[in-house]
């Protein structure tokens, strides 16, 4: 029984933790999750997202070493994509985290998305909570290589890093909606490469367009705006340049994360009511759907699909018929 | 409830740098619907055991082409046992002379797959192993 593992997980048993995480991933640990929830809220959860090859794993590796040097324990949840064809996956993030091997203060868990599209797996949030309850100081979530719209991590992490490598595209890419909007800290990794300064500049300009600033970066220099706007309490993301493989800029990155943590602790705190509302609705939606699905006969569904296939029935009407009370549903089977 | 997905660790202990075989197997198992945790080259037995523990894998697959299998395999087995993963089977691929098969099996290696083994055979072997060893 997964729930039997709870006391061992709370006592810091790594094997029990690993086992329980598997149960959570398979969706069979409701009771354990309930029992562990009161023990959560201690770890600071940091999300690391960005395009494939931007250096997320190397950055996680370097950041973890930084925290370990400060005596903090670190757990890493690294997500890689599941094949849409076979359902299998290659989870390869550990390759770039070999420096962390053999350190009892580090726990690394790889997971596959198993069909989710938001950059995380459906169970990542629950796994993070279990790890939190197990007593780690920092939890780093590494998303799949993300494009523009995989923004799920911002709802699970308390501080979100968006990692860019030089050469991200022009500055219109930088003001498009999506992934850059969720950044609390923007990281230009591989900053020793050509174009790093341009990328950092494009990101800074993007931030200034959204946040009225007293001085703007224009023609290569900072210029004072005539009427400086009143300072706002809102968090303005920082842009940090790093070379993760050489540990450059990592202390600055950790400082930016800490600044954001302090800001968030003054503001909503780790458990943001908005994120909790979204979670509650999401879970309720899933539960209601499953409950409702049980009330339907497979025949009803097949008949509707067949009629949609024959172009006799449009999808909108099909849904209306599914949602109609049973007596009306039977009526729906008859041809009009 | 989700169906059980087999989780397999693929690791290369020791110092040989030939990882093509390990990658071919990783890819084949991915295509067979398994989750493959690929740890890369030059892993110590302790690193392999720790990864197997953290990832809660069903099977540990080792690829050895250096000829050091008679030294490395027992050490990996000991390292796994030391973290109480006695029930996690080891399978082995690479260049393994046939006269070593029996001694290796006596050390608890569940399966040995030399060059030319079909990936389907390995896939079926792992599936059987996982379903008979379901925890």
């Amino acid at each position: 029984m997964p729930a039997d593992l709870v006391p061992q997980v709370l006592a810091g048993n790594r094997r029990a933790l690993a086992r329980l995480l598997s149960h959570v991933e398979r969706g069979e640990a409701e009771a354990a999750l309930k029992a562990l929830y009161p023990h959560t809220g201690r770890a600071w959860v940091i999300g690391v997202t960005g395009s494939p090859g931007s250096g997320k794993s190397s950055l996680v590796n370097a950041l973890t070493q930084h925290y370990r040097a400060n005596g903090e324990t670190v757990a890493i949840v690294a997500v890689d994509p599941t094949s849409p064809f076979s359902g299998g996956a290659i989870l390869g993030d550990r390759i770039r985290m070999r420096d962390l091997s053999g350190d009892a203060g580090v726990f690394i868990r790889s997971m596959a998305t198993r069909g989710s599209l938001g950059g995380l797996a459906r169970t990542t949030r629950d796994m993070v909570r279990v790890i939190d309850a197990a007593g780690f100081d920092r939890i780093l979530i590494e998303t799949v290589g993300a494009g523009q719209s995989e923004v799920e991590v911002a709802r699970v992490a308390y501080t979100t890093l968006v990692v860019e490598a030089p050469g991200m595209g022009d500055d219109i890419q930088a003001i498009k909606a999506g992934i850059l909007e969720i950044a609390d800290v923007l990281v230009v990794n591989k900053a020793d490469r050509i174009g790093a300064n341009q990328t950092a500049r494009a990101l800074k300009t993007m931030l200034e367009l959204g946040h009225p600033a007293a001085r703007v970066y224009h023609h290569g220099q900072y210029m004072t705006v005539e009427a400086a706007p009143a300072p706002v309490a809102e968090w303005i993301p920082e842009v940090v340049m790093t070379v993760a493989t050489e540990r450059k800029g990592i202390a600055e990155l950790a400082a930016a994360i800490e600044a954001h943590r302090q800001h968030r602790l003054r503001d909503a705190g780790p458990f943001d009511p908005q994120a909790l509302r979204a979670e509650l609705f999401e879970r309720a939606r899933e539960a209601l759907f499953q409950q409702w699905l049980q009330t339907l006969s497979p025949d009803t569904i097949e008949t509707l699909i067949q009629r949609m296939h024959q172009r006799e029935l449009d999808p909108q009407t099909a849904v209306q018929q599914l949602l109609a009370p049973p007596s009306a549903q039977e009526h729906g089977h008859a041809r009009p | 409830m989700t169906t059980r997905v087999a989780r397999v660790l693929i690791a290369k202990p020791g110092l040989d740098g030939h990882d093509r075989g390990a990658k071919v197997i990783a890819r084949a198992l991915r295509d067979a619907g398994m989750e493959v945790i690929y740890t890369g080259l030059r892993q110590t037995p302790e690193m392999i055991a720790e990864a197997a523990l953290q990832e809660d894998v069903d099977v540990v697959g080792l690829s050895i082409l250096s000829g050091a299998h008679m030294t490395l395999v027992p050490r990996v087995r000991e390292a796994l046992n030391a973290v109480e993963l006695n029930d996690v089977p080891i399978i082995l691929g690479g260049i393994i002379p046939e006269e070593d098969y029996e001694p290796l099996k006596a050390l608890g290696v569940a399966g040995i797959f030399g060059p030319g083994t079909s990936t389907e055979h390995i896939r079926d072997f792992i599936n059987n192993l996982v379903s008979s060893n379901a925890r």
Side-chain angles (χ1 to χ4, degrees), chain A residues 19 22 86 91 94 98 110, chain B residues 30 36 41 55-56 135:
Chain A
R19 283 276 158 94
S22 299
S86 73
L91 312 176
R94 296 187 82 98
R98 54 181 297 142
S110 314
Chain B
R30 182 201 87 176
V36 180
L41 294 169
E55 302 288 359
D56 191 29
R135 287 173 288 166

Side-chain angles (χ1 to χ4, degrees), chain B residues 7-52:
Chain B
R7 285 170 67 86
V8 183
L9 187 83
I10 297 289
K12 274 195 66 68
L15 297 175
D16 83 87
H18 307 281
D19 58 358
R20 189 167 172 87
K23 283 176 177 161
V24 166
I25 295 303
R27 168 70 200 261
L29 298 183
R30 182 201 87 176
D31 291 343
M34 300 179 192
E35 290 181 355
V36 180
I37 294 100
Y38 188 79
T39 59
L41 294 169
R42 290 183 280 279
Q43 301 282 304
T44 67
E46 290 71 27
M47 287 162 89
I48 292 168
E50 189 59 25

Side-chain angles (χ1 to χ4, degrees), chain A residues 241-260:
Chain A
M241 295 175 82
T242 57
V243 185
T245 50
E246 292 171 23
R247 321 262 176 278
K248 283 187 186 148
I250 301 305
E252 290 79 0
L253 175 59
I257 293 169
E258 182 56 22
H260 179 261

